[in-house]
Amino acid sequence: MDIAMDRSALQAFLEAHFPQAADYEVDAVTPDGVVMRLCPDARHLRPGETVSGPTMFALADVGIYLAILSRIGPVALAVTTNASIDFLRKPLAGRDLRAEVRILKIGRQLAVGEAILTSEGSREAVARASMTYSIPPQRGVK
Amino acid sequence: MDIAMDRSALQAFLEAHFPQAADYEVDAVTPDGVVMRLCPDARHLRPGETVSGPTMFALADVGIYLAILSRIGPVALAVTTNASIDFLRKPLAGRDLRAEVRILKIGRQLAVGEAILTSEGSREAVARASMTYSIPPQRGVK
Amino acid sequence: MDIAMDRSALQAFLEAHFPQAADYEVDAVTPDGVVMRLCPDARHLRPGETVSGPTMFALADVGIYLAILSRIGPVALAVTTNASIDFLRKPLAGRDLRAEVRILKIGRQLAVGEAILTSEGSREAVARASMTYSIPPQRGVK
Amino acid sequence: MDIAMDRSALQAFLEAHFPQAADYEVDAVTPDGVVMRLCPDARHLRPGETVSGPTMFALADVGIYLAILSRIGPVALAVTTNASIDFLRKPLAGRDLRAEVRILKIGRQLAVGEAILTSEGSREAVARASMTYSIPPQRGVK
């Protein structure tokens, strides 16, 4: 699939539209999707210094959303309709969290992607998430 | 199932262990589970004044977790292993978000619960979430 | 929501369109959805005489599908796009399996429902499933 | 992770324990998991000659189960506790269905795996499923 937004266009979109953008970084646009990164700070941590579940959920959500936009462009109002997430291991303390995102489908009405989360420097999956987004009938560009 | 922690015990546990506790309130312990409430503020909102997906995820997660504790007591380190969530409608602007939580199973190793989220004053479901928690072999009390 | 197909219309649709229709029965159309029943026979059983996971999946899928049709009528080609299911307990041997189905949303593009499965004569949930269906742009009637 | 059961041991286990074994074939044991194959016949088909959702669910379930056994050996009574599945495209008519299974975690209590289903000869994903299995405290060997 063609690339509609490159790494810097995604990063600019993120900073313009997400209040928590400072936490995230678009590492790369890949043939399958994107790679995202979260630098956890105190707000993301649970007792025991591990990243909280909702923070991992948010990283996967932002990453899959941007992966879809990287192919279809800055479509207004695509919304998450469904998500499933498996929490597999504790993230390593003091490490960035990486999300490798792979697009599984971009249809007329629905787009589906998947994210595998790992701690920087480790290959073991910390979490796996898949999410579905509803694409509005007219692809209005923001 | 017997009640191990009542409303005020859950609220105290919440305030002692969750950094974002000020956002949440335990409304009631019910025969099936609990009712939770979130008073959204700016940090929870997305453009368009709706509550964000990760915020709804977090409300369901906290609510189902507390519902389980209301039956088995303050077990240390029960962790979420799996979650699925359907986002059904936009929450109403300016309203509290309610979560009606129902326990589906409390086994030796796993507990499962479900939350239906609604906007205060409306009966239509905004989101539905089910989550599984792993219960550690020894139920150490905090 | 108005009822578009009653119990006998759903049962007739089931028998006309599903090869395994003989296994299923529409017990009731309810204000929230429908109640379905499966009479398990040897083909549905796993070692230990319990109903297999795919059989429970199929019961929830048929039940939620018929619940949606009970409101929007016999729409051709609505397809399941996503499903999540929690297997909670072994079904009781030698008992029918009941599915209480509740519709959560019927939108223009997507419909979402949930099923709670129990063994006949027991109130404990054997499984919980939620499923999403994509509704084709033109609601062609079969 | 070490291999506890090779392709022919898994195939023999399948034929000994699954009534529908004739439909399935273990293609390969891979570094990440296994590759499974289903040769659909009339029983698996829905109107339009496509493989039914429950049949895809069953293929993913058997495949992930065997992938886990390929590492831990023929453990009795490991049961599916949770599954989520996205149906992405219609399978191609008249083609075998392949499942590439990847193990995500094998812990003491829980094992998690994922399957990507494709039609033979196509690279596009037809479905994606992730499933969790509870491993009994004593790993009794059958």
Side-chain angles (χ1 to χ4, degrees):
Chain A
M1 228 180 155
D2 290 344
I3 303 294
M5 297 176 80
D6 64 11
R7 201 198 65 76
S8 64
L10 291 176
Q11 186 72 37
F13 183 91
L14 181 62
E15 287 165 19
H17 290 87
F18 285 77
Q20 295 84 11
D23 305 339
Y24 299 110
E25 205 169 296
V26 181
D27 258 25
V29 175
T30 64
D32 284 342
V34 300
V35 179
M36 289 287 296
R37 174 186 301 273
L38 171 81
C39 313
D41 68 18
R43 284 167 305 122
H44 308 113
L45 300 179
R46 280 273 168 82
E49 297 300 294
T50 64
V51 175
S52 73
T55 296
M56 290 193 258
F57 179 92
L59 174 62
D61 192 13
V62 170
I64 299 172
Y65 184 70
L66 291 180
I68 294 165
L69 296 200
S70 76
R71 266 57 180 189
I72 66 175
V75 172
L77 297 174
V79 294
T80 314
T81 57
N82 173 266
S84 82
I85 185 161
D86 293 295
F87 298 104
L88 302 163
R89 293 175 184 84
K90 274 194 187 183
L92 298 176
R95 301 280 182 87
D96 283 6
L97 211 52
R98 270 168 56 90
E100 285 202 31
V101 177
R102 170 184 180 183
I103 298 165
L104 291 170
K105 174 185 178 163
I106 297 185
R108 272 177 310 147
Q109 297 190 354
L110 295 177
V112 182
E114 175 172 66
I116 302 284
L117 273 59
T118 51
S119 291
E120 181 73 38
S122 164
R123 296 197 48 189
E124 292 197 316
V126 159
R128 181 216 64 78
S130 42
M131 304 205 181
T132 301
Y133 297 78
S134 174
I135 300 174
Q138 272 109 313
R139 294 182 173 186
V141 175
K142 274 189 183 168
Chain B
M1 227 179 157
D2 289 345
I3 304 295
M5 298 175 79
D6 64 10
R7 201 196 66 77
S8 64
L10 290 176
Q11 186 73 37
F13 183 90
L14 181 62
E15 287 166 18
H17 290 88
F18 285 77
Q20 295 85 11
D23 305 340
Y24 299 111
E25 204 169 297
V26 182
D27 258 24
V29 175
T30 64
D32 286 340
V34 300
V35 179
M36 289 287 296
R37 174 187 302 273
L38 171 81
C39 312
D41 68 18
R43 284 167 303 122
H44 307 113
L45 299 179
R46 280 271 169 85
E49 298 299 294
T50 63
V51 175
S52 72
T55 297
M56 289 193 257
F57 179 92
L59 173 62
D61 192 13
V62 170
I64 299 173
Y65 185 70
L66 291 180
I68 294 165
L69 296 200
S70 74
R71 267 57 179 190
I72 67 176
V75 171
L77 296 174
V79 293
T80 313
T81 58
N82 173 266
S84 82
I85 185 162
D86 293 296
F87 298 104
L88 302 164
R89 293 174 184 84
K90 275 193 187 184
L92 298 177
R95 301 280 182 85
D96 283 5
L97 212 52
R98 271 167 56 92
E100 285 202 30
V101 177
R102 170 183 179 182
I103 298 165
L104 292 171
K105 173 185 179 163
I106 296 185
R108 273 175 310 145
Q109 297 189 355
L110 295 176
V112 182
E114 175 173 69
I116 302 284
L117 274 59
T118 51
S119 292
E120 182 73 39
S122 163
R123 296 196 49 189
E124 292 197 315
V126 158
R128 181 217 64 79
S130 42
M131 305 206 181
T132 301
Y133 297 78
S134 174
I135 301 173
Q138 272 109 314
R139 294 183 174 184
V141 175
K142 274 190 182 167
Chain C
M1 228 180 156
D2 289 345
I3 303 295
M5 297 176 79
D6 64 10
R7 201 198 66 76
S8 63
L10 290 176
Q11 186 72 38
F13 183 90
L14 182 61
E15 287 165 18
H17 291 87
F18 285 77
Q20 294 85 11
D23 305 339
Y24 299 111
E25 204 169 297
V26 182
D27 258 24
V29 175
T30 63
D32 286 339
V34 301
V35 179
M36 289 287 296
R37 174 186 302 272
L38 171 81
C39 311
D41 68 18
R43 284 167 304 122
H44 308 113
L45 299 180
R46 279 273 168 82
E49 297 299 295
T50 63
V51 176
S52 72
T55 296
M56 289 193 257
F57 179 93
L59 173 61
D61 192 14
V62 170
I64 299 173
Y65 184 70
L66 291 180
I68 294 165
L69 297 200
S70 75
R71 266 57 179 189
I72 67 175
V75 172
L77 296 174
V79 294
T80 313
T81 58
N82 173 267
S84 82
I85 185 162
D86 293 296
F87 298 105
L88 302 163
R89 293 175 183 83
K90 275 193 186 184
L92 298 176
R95 301 280 182 86
D96 283 5
L97 211 52
R98 270 168 57 92
E100 285 203 29
V101 177
R102 171 183 178 184
I103 298 165
L104 292 170
K105 174 185 178 164
I106 297 184
R108 272 175 310 146
Q109 296 190 353
L110 296 176
V112 182
E114 176 173 68
I116 302 285
L117 274 58
T118 52
S119 292
E120 182 72 39
S122 163
R123 296 197 48 188
E124 291 198 315
V126 158
R128 180 217 64 79
S130 42
M131 306 206 179
T132 301
Y133 297 78
S134 174
I135 301 173
Q138 272 110 314
R139 295 184 173 182
V141 176
K142 273 190 184 169
Chain D
M1 227 180 156
D2 290 345
I3 303 294
M5 298 175 79
D6 64 11
R7 201 198 66 77
S8 64
L10 290 176
Q11 186 72 38
F13 183 91
L14 181 62
E15 287 166 18
H17 291 86
F18 285 76
Q20 295 84 12
D23 304 337
Y24 299 110
E25 204 168 299
V26 182
D27 257 24
V29 175
T30 64
D32 285 341
V34 301
V35 179
M36 289 287 296
R37 174 186 301 273
L38 171 81
C39 312
D41 68 18
R43 284 167 305 121
H44 308 112
L45 299 180
R46 280 273 168 83
E49 298 300 294
T50 64
V51 175
S52 72
T55 297
M56 289 193 257
F57 180 92
L59 173 62
D61 192 14
V62 170
I64 299 173
Y65 184 70
L66 291 180
I68 293 165
L69 297 199
S70 75
R71 267 59 180 187
I72 66 176
V75 171
L77 296 175
V79 295
T80 314
T81 57
N82 173 266
S84 81
I85 184 162
D86 294 295
F87 298 104
L88 302 163
R89 292 174 185 84
K90 275 193 185 183
L92 298 176
R95 302 280 181 86
D96 283 6
L97 211 52
R98 270 168 56 91
E100 284 202 32
V101 177
R102 170 185 180 183
I103 299 165
L104 291 170
K105 174 185 178 162
I106 298 185
R108 273 176 309 146
Q109 297 189 354
L110 295 177
V112 182
E114 175 172 69
I116 302 284
L117 274 59
T118 51
S119 292
E120 182 72 38
S122 163
R123 297 196 48 188
E124 291 197 315
V126 159
R128 181 216 65 78
S130 43
M131 305 206 180
T132 300
Y133 298 78
S134 174
I135 301 173
Q138 272 109 312
R139 293 183 174 184
V141 175
K142 273 188 182 171

